[in-house]
Amino acid sequence: IDWSHFQFVHGFGPPDEKAVRFDEHTFTWSVTTHVEGERVTIDNTVVGLGFSYLRNRDETLMIFGGTPIDCETVHVRMAVAHCGKSCSPEESQALELYAKGQAATLSPDFPIWENKLYLERPTLCDADGPLPAYRNWARQFYSTDSKTDGVSG
C-alpha cells in the first residue's frame, strides 16, 4: 500500500491510522484519513489478485475486479452496492452519483498503473508500505512452471 498516494494522488488528508493483514488467500488493509474535512476509515479486502471490495461508508460496498487481457492490458470493473435497507428513488440517485464520484476518484490511478515497472529490488521508504510482504503473499498466485516464465500472450 502506497499510503502517501491517498494524499498526493487523491487529495485526502495524510493517513492517521493504517493497518495491513495477510491471510492465506486474502490481504486486508485499512486506513483512516480525512476527505473534505470528514474523518473517514477505508477498509479494503483483496481476494487473490483479481478481486477486491472496499468499505468507506457504513452501508456502501465498492467491488473491484481486474481481468488480465494480455501482457499490457487489464480490464477493470467497479460496482457500488448499498448494503442497507431498500433505497428510495432519491437514495438510488445519490448512490449513482456516489459511484460516479468514486470512478472519478479512481481515475488518477490509471496513469500510475499504466507506467508501473517491476523492479526486483526497488528502493523503498516507510510511506511505501509493506511491498515485500505483499510480494511474498502474491507469489502464491503465480505459476512456478519454468516453461511459462517470460512467455507473453
Side-chain angles (χ1 to χ4, degrees):
I1 304 298
D2 177 1
W3 300 114
S4 61
H5 108 273
F6 289 105
Q7 181 179 5
F8 297 107
V9 175
H10 300 296
F12 299 175
D16 295 334
E17 302 168 25
K18 49 194 176 203
V20 174
R21 189 177 81 229
F22 296 94
D23 293 316
E24 186 176 4
H25 299 297
T26 61
F27 151 50
T28 56
W29 59 264
S30 178
V31 64
T32 300
T33 184
H34 290 83
V35 179
E36 297 176 357
E38 178 186 352
R39 185 177 161 98
V40 173
T41 298
I42 302 168
D43 296 306
N44 192 60
T45 301
V46 179
V47 182
L49 293 179
F51 177 78
S52 69
Y53 55 94
L54 182 143
R55 289 185 186 273
N56 62 356
R57 299 282 190 266
D58 289 338
E59 297 180 345
T60 305
L61 183 69
M62 291 177 48
I63 304 158
F64 299 92
T67 305
I69 303 302
D70 57 38
C71 288
E72 304 225 350
T73 309
V74 175
H75 188 195
V76 177
R77 296 248 185 211
M78 181 186 90
V80 175
H82 180 69
C83 303
K85 62 185 185 321
S86 313
C87 293
S88 68
E90 293 81 15
E91 289 171 319
S92 230
Q93 187 176 22
L95 281 172
E96 189 173 327
L97 289 172
Y98 176 76
K100 288 179 181 177
Q102 292 304 310
T105 298
L106 189 62
S107 65
D109 286 315
F110 294 150
I112 295 168
W113 297 341
E114 289 171 351
N115 291 288
K116 274 191 169 188
L117 297 174
Y118 177 81
L119 299 175
E120 185 69 34
R121 290 184 175 85
T123 302
L124 301 173
C125 67
D126 290 341
D128 288 326
L131 183 60
Y134 174 77
R135 283 183 169 183
N136 187 51
W137 171 81
R139 194 170 286 121
Q140 69 182 305
F141 303 107
Y142 289 93
S143 169
T144 57
D145 183 356
S146 62
K147 289 185 242 174
T148 60
D149 288 351
V151 175
S152 63

